[in-house]
């Protein structure tokens, strides 16, 4: 018996949409939090700048997910970036405490 692998394009697109929605949202919010840590003199401007940059990051994450060849690369790229940014935020939080 031969095992045949069938590639389902609808499943591929569904996973990419989920990765783009959830991973892009998570990455954009993490980067907005990270940007809000940097300017120490005016917190309101830092928060607004972080939110404005988050729209750009979300768009880039969605384009990245649909531009790469495999779903594995898309998931590792987005969630790996989230892990790195979360690590930086954790380090900055511990350093400020």
């Amino acid at each position: 018996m031969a095992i045949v692998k069938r590639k389902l394009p609808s499943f591929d697109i569904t996973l990419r949409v989920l990765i783009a929605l959830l991973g892009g949202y998570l990455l954009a919010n993490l980067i907005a939090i990270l940007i809000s840590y940097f300017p120490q003199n005016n917190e309101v401007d830092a928060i607004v700048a972080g939110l404005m940059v988050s729209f750009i990051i979300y768009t880039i994450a969605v384009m990245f997910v649909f531009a790469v060849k495999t779903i594995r690369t898309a998931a590792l790229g987005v969630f790996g970036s989230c892990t790195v940014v979360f690590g930086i935020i954790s380090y900055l939080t511990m350093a400020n405490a």
Side-chain angles (χ1 to χ4, degrees):
M1 253 199 222
I3 298 175
V4 178
K5 286 186 178 180
R6 285 190 282 169
K7 188 172 182 180
L8 300 172
S10 61
F11 185 68
D12 183 38
I13 292 173
T14 304
L15 280 179
R16 285 181 190 262
V17 167
L18 286 175
I19 292 169
L21 286 175
L22 299 176
Y25 180 76
L26 180 64
L27 182 63
N29 283 324
L30 284 173
I31 289 182
I33 292 168
L34 180 65
I35 289 173
S36 71
Y37 273 101
F38 290 125
Q40 298 294 330
N41 55 359
N42 194 353
E43 293 178 8
V44 176
D45 287 342
I47 292 170
V48 171
L51 287 174
M52 287 190 292
V53 170
S54 73
F55 290 113
I56 297 169
I57 298 299
Y58 187 74
T59 305
I60 291 170
V62 170
M63 288 190 302
F64 171 76
V65 167
F66 285 99
V68 295
K69 192 171 184 178
T70 63
I71 296 174
R72 181 179 295 156
T73 307
L76 287 175
V78 172
F79 293 117
S81 299
C82 289
T83 305
V84 169
V85 173
F86 182 74
I88 294 170
I89 291 171
S90 299
Y91 176 75
L92 290 174
T93 304
M94 292 173 133
N96 289 336

Coordinates of all heavy atoms in Angstrom, one line a residue:
M1 N 0.8 -1.2 0.0 CA 0.0 0.0 0.0 C 0.9 1.3 0.0 O 1.8 1.4 0.8 CB -0.8 0.0 1.3 CG -2.3 -0.3 1.0 SD -3.2 0.3 2.4 CE -4.2 -1.0 2.6
A2 N 0.6 2.1 -0.9 CA 1.3 3.4 -0.9 C 0.6 4.4 -0.2 O -0.6 4.6 -0.2 CB 1.5 3.8 -2.4
I3 N 1.4 5.1 0.6 CA 0.8 6.3 1.4 C 0.9 7.5 0.5 O 2.0 7.9 0.1 CB 1.6 6.5 2.7 CG1 1.4 5.2 3.6 CG2 1.0 7.7 3.4 CD1 2.2 5.3 4.8
V4 N -0.2 8.1 0.2 CA -0.3 9.2 -0.7 C -0.5 10.5 0.2 O -1.5 10.5 0.9 CB -1.4 9.1 -1.7 CG1 -1.4 10.3 -2.6 CG2 -1.1 7.8 -2.6
K5 N 0.3 11.5 0.0 CA 0.1 12.7 0.7 C -0.6 13.7 -0.2 O -0.2 14.0 -1.3 CB 1.4 13.4 1.1 CG 2.1 12.7 2.2 CD 3.3 13.5 2.6 CE 4.0 12.9 3.8 NZ 5.2 13.7 4.2
R6 N -1.8 14.1 0.2 CA -2.5 15.0 -0.6 C -2.4 16.4 0.1 O -2.6 16.5 1.3 CB -4.0 14.6 -0.7 CG -4.2 13.5 -1.6 CD -5.7 13.3 -1.9 NE -6.2 12.6 -0.7 CZ -7.5 12.4 -0.5 NH1 -8.4 13.0 -1.3 NH2 -8.0 11.8 0.6
K7 N -2.1 17.4 -0.7 CA -2.0 18.7 -0.1 C -3.3 19.4 -0.4 O -3.8 19.5 -1.5 CB -0.9 19.5 -0.8 CG -0.6 20.8 -0.2 CD 0.7 21.4 -0.8 CE 1.0 22.7 0.0 NZ 2.1 23.3 -0.5
L8 N -3.9 19.9 0.7 CA -5.2 20.6 0.6 C -4.9 22.1 0.6 O -4.5 22.6 1.6 CB -6.1 20.2 1.8 CG -6.4 18.7 1.9 CD1 -7.2 18.4 3.2 CD2 -7.3 18.3 0.7
P9 N -5.2 22.7 -0.5 CA -4.9 24.2 -0.5 C -5.8 25.0 0.4 O -5.4 26.0 1.0 CB -5.2 24.6 -2.0 CG -5.8 23.4 -2.6 CD -5.6 22.2 -1.8
S10 N -7.1 24.5 0.7 CA -7.9 25.2 1.6 C -7.4 25.1 3.0 O -7.5 26.1 3.8 CB -9.4 24.7 1.5 OG -9.3 23.3 1.9
F11 N -6.8 24.0 3.4 CA -6.3 23.9 4.7 C -5.0 24.8 4.9 O -4.8 25.4 5.9 CB -5.9 22.4 5.0 CG -5.4 22.2 6.4 CD1 -6.2 22.3 7.5 CD2 -4.1 21.8 6.6 CE1 -5.8 22.0 8.8 CE2 -3.6 21.6 7.9 CZ -4.5 21.7 9.0
D12 N -4.2 24.8 3.8 CA -3.0 25.7 3.8 C -3.4 27.2 4.0 O -2.8 27.9 4.8 CB -2.3 25.5 2.5 CG -1.0 26.2 2.4 OD1 -0.3 26.3 3.4 OD2 -0.7 26.7 1.3
I13 N -4.4 27.6 3.3 CA -4.8 29.0 3.4 C -5.5 29.3 4.7 O -5.2 30.3 5.3 CB -5.8 29.3 2.2 CG1 -5.0 29.3 0.9 CG2 -6.4 30.7 2.4 CD1 -5.9 29.5 -0.3
T14 N -6.2 28.3 5.3 CA -6.9 28.5 6.6 C -5.8 28.7 7.7 O -5.9 29.6 8.5 CB -7.8 27.3 6.9 OG1 -8.8 27.2 5.9 CG2 -8.5 27.6 8.2
L15 N -4.8 27.8 7.6 CA -3.7 27.9 8.6 C -2.9 29.3 8.5 O -2.6 29.9 9.5 CB -2.7 26.8 8.5 CG -3.2 25.5 9.1 CD1 -2.2 24.4 8.9 CD2 -3.5 25.7 10.6
R16 N -2.7 29.7 7.2 CA -2.0 31.0 7.0 C -2.8 32.1 7.6 O -2.3 33.1 8.1 CB -1.7 31.2 5.6 CG -0.5 30.3 5.1 CD -0.2 30.5 3.6 NE 0.7 29.6 3.1 CZ 2.0 29.8 3.0 NH1 2.6 30.9 3.4 NH2 2.8 28.9 2.5
V17 N -4.1 32.1 7.3 CA -5.0 33.2 7.8 C -5.0 33.2 9.4 O -4.9 34.2 10.0 CB -6.4 33.0 7.3 CG1 -7.4 33.9 8.1 CG2 -6.5 33.3 5.8
L18 N -5.0 32.0 10.0 CA -5.0 31.9 11.5 C -3.6 32.4 12.0 O -3.6 33.2 13.0 CB -5.3 30.5 11.9 CG -6.7 30.1 11.8 CD1 -6.8 28.6 12.2 CD2 -7.6 30.9 12.7
I19 N -2.6 32.0 11.4 CA -1.2 32.5 11.8 C -1.1 34.0 11.6 O -0.6 34.7 12.5 CB -0.1 31.8 11.0 CG1 -0.1 30.3 11.4 CG2 1.2 32.4 11.3 CD1 0.8 29.4 10.6
A20 N -1.6 34.5 10.5 CA -1.5 35.9 10.2 C -2.4 36.7 11.2 O -2.0 37.8 11.8 CB -2.0 36.3 8.8
L21 N -3.6 36.2 11.5 CA -4.5 37.0 12.4 C -3.9 36.9 13.9 O -3.8 38.0 14.5 CB -5.9 36.4 12.4 CG -6.7 36.7 11.2 CD1 -8.0 35.9 11.2 CD2 -7.0 38.2 11.1
L22 N -3.7 35.7 14.4 CA -3.3 35.6 15.8 C -1.9 36.0 16.0 O -1.6 36.8 16.9 CB -3.6 34.2 16.2 CG -5.0 33.7 16.2 CD1 -5.1 32.2 16.6 CD2 -5.9 34.5 17.0
G23 N -1.0 35.5 15.2 CA 0.4 35.8 15.4 C 0.7 37.3 15.1 O 1.5 37.9 15.8
G24 N 0.1 37.8 14.0 CA 0.3 39.2 13.7 C -0.2 40.1 14.8 O 0.4 41.1 15.1
Y25 N -1.4 39.8 15.3 CA -1.9 40.6 16.4 C -1.0 40.6 17.6 O -0.8 41.6 18.3 CB -3.3 40.1 16.7 CG -4.0 40.8 17.9 CD1 -4.6 42.1 17.6 CD2 -4.1 40.3 19.1 CE1 -5.2 42.8 18.6 CE2 -4.7 41.0 20.1 CZ -5.3 42.2 19.9 OH -5.9 42.9 20.9
L26 N -0.6 39.4 18.0 CA 0.3 39.2 19.1 C 1.6 40.0 18.9 O 2.1 40.7 19.8 CB 0.6 37.7 19.4 CG 1.5 37.4 20.6 CD1 0.8 37.8 21.9 CD2 1.7 35.9 20.6
L27 N 2.2 39.8 17.8 CA 3.5 40.5 17.5 C 3.3 42.0 17.5 O 4.1 42.7 18.1 CB 4.0 40.0 16.2 CG 5.4 40.6 15.7 CD1 6.5 40.2 16.7 CD2 5.8 40.2 14.3
A28 N 2.2 42.5 16.9 CA 2.0 44.0 16.9 C 1.9 44.5 18.3 O 2.4 45.6 18.6 CB 0.8 44.3 16.0
N29 N 1.1 43.8 19.1 CA 0.9 44.3 20.5 C 2.2 44.2 21.3 O 2.4 45.1 22.1 CB -0.2 43.6 21.2 CG -1.6 44.1 20.7 OD1 -1.7 45.2 20.4 ND2 -2.5 43.1 20.5
L30 N 2.9 43.2 21.1 CA 4.2 43.1 21.9 C 5.2 44.2 21.5 O 5.9 44.7 22.3 CB 4.8 41.7 21.7 CG 4.2 40.5 22.4 CD1 4.8 39.2 21.9 CD2 4.3 40.7 23.9
I31 N 5.2 44.5 20.2 CA 6.1 45.5 19.8 C 5.6 46.9 20.2 O 6.4 47.8 20.6 CB 6.3 45.5 18.2 CG1 7.2 44.2 17.9 CG2 7.0 46.7 17.7 CD1 7.5 44.0 16.5
A32 N 4.3 47.1 20.3 CA 3.8 48.3 20.8 C 4.2 48.5 22.3 O 4.5 49.6 22.7 CB 2.3 48.4 20.7
I33 N 4.1 47.4 23.1 CA 4.5 47.4 24.5 C 6.0 47.7 24.6 O 6.5 48.5 25.4 CB 4.2 46.1 25.2 CG1 2.7 46.0 25.3 CG2 4.8 46.0 26.5 CD1 2.2 44.6 25.7
L34 N 6.8 47.1 23.7 CA 8.3 47.3 23.7 C 8.6 48.8 23.4 O 9.4 49.4 24.1 CB 8.9 46.4 22.7 CG 10.4 46.5 22.6 CD1 11.1 46.0 23.9 CD2 10.9 45.6 21.5
I35 N 7.9 49.4 22.4 CA 8.2 50.7 22.1 C 7.8 51.7 23.2 O 8.5 52.7 23.4 CB 7.5 51.1 20.7 CG1 8.2 50.4 19.6 CG2 7.5 52.6 20.5 CD1 7.5 50.5 18.3
S36 N 6.8 51.3 23.9 CA 6.3 52.2 25.0 C 7.3 52.3 26.2 O 7.2 53.1 27.0 CB 4.9 51.8 25.5 OG 5.0 50.6 26.2
Y37 N 8.3 51.3 26.2 CA 9.3 51.3 27.3 C 10.4 52.4 27.0 O 11.0 52.8 28.0 CB 9.9 50.0 27.4 CG 9.2 49.0 28.3 CD1 8.4 48.0 27.8 CD2 9.3 49.1 29.7 CE1 7.7 47.2 28.6 CE2 8.6 48.2 30.5 CZ 7.8 47.3 30.0 OH 7.1 46.4 30.8
F38 N 10.6 52.7 25.8 CA 11.9 53.5 25.5 C 11.8 54.9 25.9 O 12.7 55.4 26.6 CB 12.3 53.3 24.0 CG 12.8 51.9 23.8 CD1 12.2 51.1 22.8 CD2 13.8 51.3 24.6 CE1 12.7 49.8 22.6 CE2 14.2 50.1 24.4 CZ 13.7 49.3 23.4
P39 N 10.9 55.8 25.4 CA 11.0 57.2 25.8 C 10.6 57.4 27.3 O 9.4 57.1 27.6 CB 10.1 57.9 24.9 CG 9.8 57.0 23.8 CD 10.0 55.6 24.3
Q40 N 11.5 57.7 28.1 CA 11.2 57.8 29.5 C 10.6 59.1 30.0 O 10.0 59.3 31.0 CB 12.4 57.6 30.4 CG 13.0 56.2 30.1 CD 12.1 55.1 30.7 OE1 11.4 55.3 31.6 NE2 12.2 53.9 30.0
N41 N 10.7 60.2 29.1 CA 10.2 61.5 29.5 C 8.7 61.7 29.4 O 8.1 62.4 30.1 CB 11.0 62.6 28.8 CG 11.0 62.4 27.3 OD1 10.3 61.5 26.8 ND2 11.6 63.4 26.6
N42 N 8.1 61.1 28.3 CA 6.7 61.3 28.1 C 6.0 60.0 27.8 O 6.2 59.5 26.7 CB 6.5 62.4 27.0 CG 5.1 62.9 26.9 OD1 4.2 62.4 27.6 ND2 4.8 63.8 26.1
E43 N 5.3 59.5 28.7 CA 4.7 58.2 28.5 C 3.6 58.2 27.5 O 3.4 57.2 26.8 CB 4.1 57.6 29.9 CG 5.2 57.3 30.9 CD 4.6 56.9 32.2 OE1 3.4 56.6 32.3 OE2 5.4 56.7 33.1
V44 N 2.8 59.2 27.4 CA 1.7 59.3 26.5 C 2.2 59.2 25.0 O 1.6 58.5 24.2 CB 0.8 60.6 26.7 CG1 -0.3 60.7 25.7 CG2 0.3 60.5 28.1
D45 N 3.2 60.0 24.7 CA 3.8 60.0 23.4 C 4.4 58.6 23.0 O 4.2 58.1 21.9 CB 4.9 61.0 23.2 CG 4.3 62.4 23.2 OD1 3.1 62.6 22.9 OD2 5.1 63.4 23.4
A46 N 4.9 57.9 24.0 CA 5.5 56.6 23.8 C 4.4 55.6 23.5 O 4.5 54.7 22.6 CB 6.3 56.1 25.0
I47 N 3.3 55.7 24.2 CA 2.2 54.8 24.0 C 1.6 55.0 22.6 O 1.3 54.1 21.8 CB 1.1 54.9 25.1 CG1 1.7 54.4 26.4 CG2 -0.2 54.2 24.7 CD1 0.9 54.7 27.6
V48 N 1.4 56.3 22.2 CA 0.8 56.6 20.9 C 1.7 56.1 19.8 O 1.3 55.6 18.8 CB 0.5 58.1 20.8 CG1 0.1 58.5 19.4 CG2 -0.6 58.4 21.8
A49 N 3.0 56.4 20.0 CA 4.0 55.9 18.9 C 4.0 54.4 18.8 O 4.0 53.9 17.7 CB 5.4 56.4 19.3
G50 N 3.9 53.7 19.9 CA 3.8 52.2 19.9 C 2.6 51.7 19.2 O 2.7 50.8 18.4
L51 N 1.5 52.4 19.4 CA 0.2 52.0 18.7 C 0.3 52.3 17.2 O -0.2 51.5 16.4 CB -1.0 52.7 19.3 CG -1.4 52.1 20.7 CD1 -2.5 53.0 21.3 CD2 -1.8 50.7 20.6
M52 N 0.9 53.4 16.8 CA 1.0 53.7 15.4 C 1.9 52.7 14.7 O 1.6 52.2 13.6 CB 1.5 55.1 15.2 CG 0.4 56.1 15.5 SD 0.8 57.8 15.0 CE 2.2 58.2 16.1
V53 N 3.0 52.3 15.3 CA 4.0 51.4 14.8 C 3.3 50.0 14.7 O 3.6 49.2 13.8 CB 5.3 51.4 15.5 CG1 6.2 50.3 15.1 CG2 6.0 52.7 15.3
S54 N 2.4 49.7 15.6 CA 1.8 48.4 15.7 C 1.0 48.1 14.4 O 0.9 46.9 13.9 CB 1.0 48.2 16.9 OG -0.2 48.9 16.8
F55 N 0.4 49.1 13.8 CA -0.4 48.9 12.6 C 0.6 48.5 11.4 O 0.3 47.7 10.6 CB -1.1 50.2 12.2 CG -2.3 50.5 13.1 CD1 -2.2 51.6 13.9 CD2 -3.4 49.7 13.1 CE1 -3.3 51.9 14.8 CE2 -4.4 49.9 14.0 CZ -4.4 51.0 14.8
I56 N 1.7 49.1 11.4 CA 2.7 48.8 10.4 C 3.2 47.4 10.6 O 3.4 46.6 9.6 CB 3.9 49.8 10.4 CG1 3.3 51.2 10.0 CG2 5.0 49.4 9.4 CD1 4.3 52.3 10.3
I57 N 3.5 47.0 11.8 CA 4.1 45.7 12.1 C 3.0 44.6 11.8 O 3.4 43.6 11.2 CB 4.5 45.6 13.6 CG1 5.6 46.6 13.9 CG2 4.9 44.2 14.0 CD1 6.9 46.3 13.1
Y58 N 1.8 44.9 12.1 CA 0.7 43.9 11.8 C 0.6 43.7 10.3 O 0.5 42.5 9.8 CB -0.6 44.4 12.3 CG -1.7 43.4 12.2 CD1 -1.8 42.3 13.0 CD2 -2.7 43.6 11.3 CE1 -2.8 41.4 12.9 CE2 -3.8 42.6 11.2 CZ -3.8 41.5 12.0 OH -4.8 40.6 11.9
T59 N 0.7 44.7 9.5 CA 0.6 44.6 8.0 C 1.8 43.8 7.5 O 1.7 43.0 6.6 CB 0.6 46.0 7.4 OG1 -0.5 46.7 7.9 CG2 0.5 45.9 5.9
I60 N 3.0 44.1 8.0 CA 4.2 43.4 7.6 C 4.1 41.9 8.0 O 4.5 41.0 7.2 CB 5.5 44.0 8.2 CG1 5.7 45.4 7.6 CG2 6.7 43.1 8.0 CD1 6.8 46.2 8.3
A61 N 3.6 41.6 9.1 CA 3.4 40.2 9.6 C 2.5 39.4 8.6 O 2.7 38.3 8.3 CB 2.9 40.1 11.0
V62 N 1.4 40.1 8.3 CA 0.4 39.4 7.4 C 1.0 39.2 6.0 O 0.9 38.1 5.4 CB -0.9 40.3 7.2 CG1 -1.8 39.7 6.1 CG2 -1.6 40.2 8.6
M63 N 1.8 40.2 5.5 CA 2.4 40.0 4.2 C 3.5 38.9 4.3 O 3.7 38.1 3.3 CB 3.0 41.3 3.7 CG 2.0 42.3 3.3 SD 2.7 43.8 2.5 CE 3.8 44.4 3.7
F64 N 4.2 38.8 5.4 CA 5.2 37.8 5.5 C 4.6 36.4 5.5 O 5.2 35.5 4.9 CB 6.0 38.0 6.8 CG 6.9 36.9 7.2 CD1 8.1 36.8 6.5 CD2 6.6 36.0 8.2 CE1 9.0 35.7 6.8 CE2 7.4 35.0 8.5 CZ 8.6 34.8 7.8
V65 N 3.5 36.2 6.2 CA 2.9 34.9 6.3 C 2.5 34.4 5.0 O 2.6 33.2 4.6 CB 1.7 35.0 7.3 CG1 0.8 33.7 7.2 CG2 2.2 35.1 8.7
F66 N 2.0 35.3 4.1 CA 1.5 34.9 2.8 C 2.6 34.9 1.7 O 2.4 34.4 0.6 CB 0.3 35.7 2.3 CG -1.0 35.3 3.0 CD1 -1.4 36.1 4.1 CD2 -1.7 34.2 2.7 CE1 -2.6 35.7 4.8 CE2 -2.8 33.9 3.3 CZ -3.3 34.6 4.4
A67 N 3.8 35.4 2.1 CA 4.9 35.5 1.1 C 5.8 34.3 1.2 O 6.4 34.0 0.2 CB 5.7 36.8 1.3
V68 N 5.9 33.7 2.4 CA 6.9 32.6 2.5 C 6.3 31.3 1.9 O 5.1 31.2 1.6 CB 7.2 32.3 4.0 CG1 8.0 33.5 4.6 CG2 6.0 32.0 4.8
K69 N 7.2 30.4 1.7 CA 6.8 29.2 0.9 C 6.0 28.2 1.7 O 5.1 27.5 1.2 CB 8.1 28.5 0.3 CG 7.8 27.5 -0.7 CD 9.1 27.0 -1.4 CE 8.8 26.0 -2.5 NZ 10.0 25.6 -3.2
T70 N 6.4 27.9 3.0 CA 5.8 26.9 3.8 C 5.1 27.5 5.0 O 5.5 28.6 5.5 CB 6.8 25.8 4.2 OG1 7.8 26.5 5.1 CG2 7.5 25.2 3.1
I71 N 4.1 26.8 5.5 CA 3.5 27.2 6.7 C 4.4 27.1 7.9 O 4.3 28.0 8.8 CB 2.2 26.3 7.0 CG1 1.2 26.4 5.9 CG2 1.6 26.6 8.3 CD1 0.1 25.5 6.0
R72 N 5.3 26.2 7.9 CA 6.2 26.0 9.0 C 7.1 27.3 9.1 O 7.4 27.8 10.2 CB 7.1 24.8 8.9 CG 8.1 24.6 10.0 CD 8.9 23.4 9.8 NE 8.1 22.2 9.9 CZ 8.3 21.1 9.3 NH1 9.4 20.9 8.7 NH2 7.5 20.0 9.4
T73 N 7.6 27.8 8.0 CA 8.4 29.0 8.0 C 7.6 30.2 8.5 O 8.1 31.0 9.2 CB 8.9 29.3 6.6 OG1 9.6 28.1 6.1 CG2 9.9 30.4 6.6
A74 N 6.4 30.3 8.1 CA 5.5 31.4 8.5 C 5.3 31.3 10.0 O 5.4 32.4 10.7 CB 4.2 31.3 7.8
A75 N 5.0 30.2 10.5 CA 4.7 30.0 12.0 C 6.0 30.3 12.8 O 5.9 31.0 13.8 CB 4.2 28.7 12.3
L76 N 7.1 29.7 12.3 CA 8.4 30.0 13.1 C 8.8 31.4 13.0 O 9.3 32.0 14.0 CB 9.5 29.1 12.5 CG 9.3 27.6 12.9 CD1 10.4 26.8 12.2 CD2 9.4 27.4 14.4
G77 N 8.6 32.1 11.9 CA 9.0 33.5 11.8 C 8.2 34.4 12.7 O 8.7 35.2 13.4
V78 N 6.9 34.2 12.7 CA 6.0 35.1 13.4 C 6.1 34.8 14.9 O 6.3 35.7 15.7 CB 4.5 35.0 13.0 CG1 3.6 35.7 13.9 CG2 4.4 35.5 11.6
F79 N 6.0 33.5 15.3 CA 6.0 33.2 16.7 C 7.4 33.2 17.3 O 7.6 33.5 18.5 CB 5.3 31.8 17.0 CG 3.8 31.9 16.7 CD1 3.3 31.1 15.7 CD2 3.0 32.7 17.4 CE1 1.9 31.2 15.4 CE2 1.6 32.8 17.1 CZ 1.1 32.0 16.1
G80 N 8.4 33.0 16.5 CA 9.8 33.2 16.9 C 10.1 34.7 17.2 O 10.7 35.0 18.2
S81 N 9.6 35.5 16.4 CA 9.7 37.0 16.6 C 8.9 37.4 17.9 O 9.4 38.2 18.7 CB 9.1 37.8 15.4 OG 9.9 37.5 14.3
C82 N 7.8 36.8 18.1 CA 7.0 37.1 19.3 C 7.8 36.7 20.6 O 7.8 37.4 21.6 CB 5.7 36.4 19.3 SG 4.5 37.0 18.1
T83 N 8.5 35.5 20.5 CA 9.2 35.0 21.6 C 10.4 36.0 21.9 O 10.7 36.3 23.1 CB 9.8 33.6 21.3 OG1 8.6 32.8 21.0 CG2 10.5 33.0 22.5
V84 N 11.1 36.4 20.9 CA 12.2 37.3 21.1 C 11.8 38.6 21.7 O 12.4 39.1 22.6 CB 13.0 37.5 19.7 CG1 14.0 38.7 19.8 CG2 13.6 36.3 19.3
V85 N 10.7 39.2 21.2 CA 10.2 40.5 21.7 C 9.7 40.3 23.1 O 10.0 41.2 24.0 CB 9.1 41.0 20.8 CG1 8.5 42.3 21.4 CG2 9.6 41.4 19.4
F86 N 9.1 39.2 23.4 CA 8.6 38.9 24.8 C 9.8 38.8 25.7 O 9.8 39.3 26.9 CB 7.8 37.7 24.8 CG 7.2 37.4 26.2 CD1 6.2 38.2 26.8 CD2 7.8 36.4 27.0 CE1 5.7 37.9 28.0 CE2 7.3 36.1 28.3 CZ 6.3 36.9 28.8
G87 N 10.9 38.2 25.3 CA 12.1 38.1 26.1 C 12.7 39.4 26.4 O 13.1 39.7 27.5
I88 N 12.7 40.3 25.4 CA 13.3 41.7 25.6 C 12.4 42.4 26.6 O 12.9 43.1 27.4 CB 13.4 42.4 24.2 CG1 14.4 41.7 23.3 CG2 13.7 43.9 24.4 CD1 14.4 42.2 21.9
I89 N 11.1 42.3 26.4 CA 10.1 43.0 27.4 C 10.3 42.5 28.8 O 10.4 43.3 29.7 CB 8.7 42.8 26.9 CG1 8.4 43.6 25.6 CG2 7.7 43.3 28.0 CD1 7.1 43.3 25.0
S90 N 10.5 41.2 28.9 CA 10.7 40.6 30.3 C 12.0 41.1 30.8 O 12.1 41.4 32.0 CB 10.7 39.1 30.2 OG 9.5 38.6 29.7
Y91 N 13.0 41.2 30.0 CA 14.4 41.7 30.5 C 14.2 43.2 31.0 O 14.7 43.5 32.0 CB 15.4 41.5 29.4 CG 16.7 42.1 29.8 CD1 17.6 41.5 30.7 CD2 17.2 43.3 29.3 CE1 18.8 42.0 31.1 CE2 18.4 43.9 29.7 CZ 19.2 43.2 30.6 OH 20.4 43.8 30.9
L92 N 13.6 44.0 30.1 CA 13.4 45.4 30.5 C 12.6 45.6 31.8 O 12.8 46.5 32.6 CB 12.8 46.2 29.3 CG 13.7 46.4 28.1 CD1 12.9 47.0 27.0 CD2 14.9 47.2 28.5
T93 N 11.6 44.7 31.9 CA 10.7 44.8 33.1 C 11.5 44.4 34.4 O 11.4 45.1 35.4 CB 9.5 43.9 33.0 OG1 8.8 44.2 31.8 CG2 8.6 44.0 34.2
M94 N 12.4 43.4 34.3 CA 13.2 43.0 35.4 C 14.3 44.0 35.7 O 14.6 44.2 36.9 CB 13.8 41.6 35.1 CG 12.9 40.5 35.1 SD 13.7 39.0 34.6 CE 13.1 37.9 35.8
A95 N 14.8 44.7 34.7 CA 15.8 45.7 34.9 C 15.3 46.9 35.5 O 16.0 47.6 36.3 CB 16.5 46.0 33.5
N96 N 14.0 47.3 35.2 CA 13.4 48.5 35.8 C 12.9 48.2 37.2 O 12.6 49.2 37.9 CB 12.3 49.0 34.9 CG 12.8 49.6 33.6 OD1 14.0 50.0 33.6 ND2 12.0 49.6 32.6
A97 N 12.7 47.0 37.6 CA 12.1 46.7 38.9 C 13.1 46.9 40.0 O 14.3 47.1 40.0 CB 11.6 45.3 39.0

